[in-house]
């Protein structure tokens, strides 16, 4: 059976972009593949985090996974920091990754500018991500477009390692990125990705936003003056972004949306997008409220820790043998 894996950082409340880029894909794959979904809490601490907030965000994120429809009976759900082998494998990979490639990562360039006196972990972040992936011999990594470069680096690290040690040890994974929705744009500045840590919250739809707030954010989204509902990401990024969102929450194709709204004005379209998004998110919020205070979360993480530790320990022991870390 094919295997897929993804991780999300507990750096704040989840956005519609995160949902579409990663979670929605996993919900599809859980039906036919072996699926691993984890909380990348060790990645979160590459930038400063308040310990109490971080801990609450971790719990929250598990509850959101479940509320969105990630089924604990069909997925292996775990906390990255619960599995000590991720950092062990990561160290070995650090010693097999040229220093120079790390500074060229787009995310590093962005985040190192944003955070003064950043720590070394921000630079080595993609190596830990490679470890997360390569431990499990997975085929695919469902992510948003912003993570493509990191998955490609994981592939390079795996290929170079296999070559250097003349082994077929690490499986080479493929990024899986939704075509039109791999980068949901910010509602105010659609050239930027919708982000958890955006400076202006009006551009970001958080899954736990008040429903009326979501409606207002969509009605206030930046469009253009052409009054034409057509998918053209270059010249009409705002409208194209709303179309991509509408496509995801209604399952209508982009073509069908263009047909339906021929001649319609932006106000009518935005109202329909707002209704569709609100109807989509409302049941997720209802389920979230039931789950957040239940003790399911502890049980799920304990099971995930046990299963993934066993897999990762075996991979790490084999890795040590290959590189000579044994007597
Ligand atoms: P931050 O803003 O703190 O960097 P983020 O919103 O990018 O956070 P992550 O936890 O880094 O969130 O990403 C989780 C997943 O969501 C990743 O697979 C990422 O590619 C995807 N993702 C994030 N933003 C978007 C977006 N706007 N459109 C599509 N996918 C996205
Ligand atoms: N870097 C990713 C989170 C992440 C991840 C992974 C995603 C950490 N390890 C392994 C896929 C596979 C992010 O910031 N979204």
């Amino acid at each position: 059976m094919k295997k897929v894996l993804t991780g999300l950082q507990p750096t704040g409340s989840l956005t519609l972009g995160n949902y579409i880029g990663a979670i929605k894909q996993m919900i599809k794959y859980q039906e036919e593949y072996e699926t691993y979904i984890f909380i990348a809490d060790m990645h979160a601490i590459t930038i400063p985090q308040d310990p109490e907030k971080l801990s609450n965000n971790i719990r929250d994120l598990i509850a959101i996974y479940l509320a969105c429809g990630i089924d604990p009976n069909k997925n292996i759900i775990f906390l990255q920091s619960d599995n000590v082998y991720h950092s062990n494998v990561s160290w070995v990979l650090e010693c097999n990754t040229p220093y120079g490639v790390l500074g060229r990562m787009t995310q590093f360039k962005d985040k190192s500018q944003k955070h003064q006196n950043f720590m070394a972990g921000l630079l080595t972040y993609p190596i830990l991500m490679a470890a997360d992936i390569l431990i499990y011999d997975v085929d695919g990594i469902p992510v948003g477009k912003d993570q493509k470069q990191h998955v490609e680096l994981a592939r390079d690290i795996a290929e170079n390692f296999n070559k250097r040690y003349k082994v077929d040890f690490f499986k080479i994974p493929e990024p899986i990125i939704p075509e039109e929705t791999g980068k949901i744009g910010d509602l105010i500045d659609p050239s930027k990705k919708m982000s958890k840590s955006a400076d202006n919250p009006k551009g970001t739809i958080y899954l736990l936003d008040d429903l009326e707030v979501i409606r207002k954010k969509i009605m206030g989204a930046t469009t253009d003056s052409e009054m034409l509902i057509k998918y053209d990401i270059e010249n009409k990024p705002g409208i194209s972004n709303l179309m991509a969102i509408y496509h995801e929450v209604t399952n209508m194709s982009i073509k069908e949306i263009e047909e339906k709204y021929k001649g319609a004005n932006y106000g009518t379209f935005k109202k329909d997008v707002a209704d569709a998004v609100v109807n989509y998110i409302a049941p997720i919020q209802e389920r979230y409220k039931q789950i957040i205070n239940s003790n399911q979360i502890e049980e799920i993480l304990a099971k995930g820790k046990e299963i993934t530790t066993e897999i990762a320990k075996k991979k790490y022991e084999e890795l040590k043998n290959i590189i000579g870390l044994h007597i």
Side-chain angles (χ1 to χ4, degrees):
M1 198 197 293
K2 287 213 175 189
K3 294 184 201 170
V4 299
L5 168 142
T6 203
L8 288 90
Q9 299 188 65
T11 43
S13 197
L14 227 66
T15 72
L16 189 63
N18 300 139
Y19 174 78
I20 292 171
I23 296 191
K24 189 161 179 251
Q25 297 207 73
M26 291 301 280
I27 291 166
K28 182 175 86 185
Y29 290 122
Q30 70 184 3
E31 300 304 330
E32 22 174 345
Y33 294 160
E34 188 173 319
T35 41
Y36 296 77
I37 181 162
F38 67 96
I39 309 265
D41 57 343
M42 294 202 296
H43 278 100
I45 59 168
T46 55
I47 52 172
Q49 302 289 342
D50 174 78
E52 198 183 325
K53 261 197 207 143
L54 178 59
S55 164
N56 288 336
N57 282 342
I58 292 171
R59 199 185 166 83
D60 227 45
L61 192 47
I62 302 273
I64 294 183
Y65 283 176
L66 303 180
C68 287
I70 295 285
D71 182 341
N73 296 315
K74 294 181 182 162
N75 291 273
I76 296 161
I77 303 174
F78 67 105
L79 185 60
Q80 186 185 32
S81 64
D82 268 350
N83 188 333
V84 293
Y85 294 100
H86 283 236
S87 42
N88 289 11
V89 173
S90 180
W91 178 254
V92 175
L93 298 182
E94 274 197 38
C95 299
N96 282 277
T97 305
Y99 173 75
V101 299
L102 298 172
R104 292 201 284 272
M105 295 289 117
T106 310
Q107 182 181 283
F108 172 72
K109 286 196 237 170
D110 290 350
K111 293 204 171 169
S112 58
Q113 291 241 320
K114 242 177 147 178
H115 299 275
Q116 278 185 338
N117 303 325
F118 60 86
M119 299 292 159
L122 194 66
L123 182 72
T124 55
Y125 171 120
I127 306 181
L128 176 60
M129 179 161 163
D132 299 335
I133 295 170
L134 299 177
I135 286 170
Y136 299 96
D137 297 320
V138 292
D139 301 275
I141 313 293
V143 280
K145 222 179 241 165
D146 62 306
Q147 294 301 319
K148 184 167 182 241
Q149 198 182 31
H150 291 159
V151 179
E152 281 166 355
L153 181 64
R155 287 168 60 91
D156 291 346
I157 293 174
E159 277 168 0
N160 291 337
F161 182 93
N162 289 349
K163 222 182 268 163
R164 172 171 175 192
Y165 290 97
K166 300 189 178 55
V167 286
D168 188 14
F169 181 62
F170 286 128
K171 186 159 190 166
I172 316 297
E174 294 286 341
I176 311 176
I177 299 168
E179 204 173 317
E180 273 123 4
T181 48
K183 181 183 157 196
I184 296 295
D186 183 275
L187 297 177
I188 302 297
D189 178 358
S191 68
K192 290 198 301 206
K193 75 161 189 166
M194 183 182 281
S195 167
K196 275 198 217 103
S197 44
D199 298 332
N200 182 354
K202 285 189 181 151
T204 300
I205 298 173
Y206 293 98
L207 293 182
L208 299 181
D209 265 344
D210 183 272
L211 296 176
E212 273 318 300
V213 171
I214 294 179
R215 201 179 281 285
K216 279 198 187 112
K217 285 180 178 178
I218 294 173
M219 294 310 290
T222 303
T223 50
D224 53 63
S225 55
E226 202 182 16
M227 276 298 163
L228 175 67
I229 295 165
K230 180 169 168 262
Y231 192 84
D232 177 352
I233 201 82
E234 285 293 307
N235 301 308
K236 298 170 72 67
I239 276 294
S240 303
N241 193 37
L242 289 176
M243 291 175 80
I245 292 173
Y246 196 53
H247 155 70
E248 284 291 342
V249 297
T250 61
N251 268 339
M252 282 173 75
S253 71
I254 295 288
K255 268 225 132 24
E256 284 167 344
I257 299 170
E258 281 175 352
E259 279 297 311
K260 180 173 173 192
Y261 291 97
K262 223 177 231 170
N265 67 36
Y266 287 172
T268 309
F269 177 57
K270 278 181 171 175
K271 190 180 167 299
D272 286 2
V273 176
D275 284 344
V277 170
V278 163
N279 287 338
Y280 197 88
I281 290 182
I284 295 179
Q285 294 192 354
E286 280 308 309
R287 284 193 295 270
Y288 167 84
K289 282 182 210 149
Q290 289 161 14
I291 296 164
I292 190 66
N293 292 317
S294 74
N295 54 9
Q296 288 184 65
I297 295 175
E298 283 75 6
E299 284 167 23
I300 288 168
L301 287 186
K303 188 170 150 210
K305 176 178 178 177
E306 194 185 326
I307 297 172
T308 60
T309 301
E310 196 182 320
I311 299 170
K313 180 174 193 294
K314 188 161 167 277
K315 195 77 180 168
Y316 181 59
E317 293 301 335
E318 287 170 16
L319 178 62
K320 286 207 302 174
N321 278 335
I322 292 170
I323 61 178
L325 292 180
H326 61 101
I327 48 166

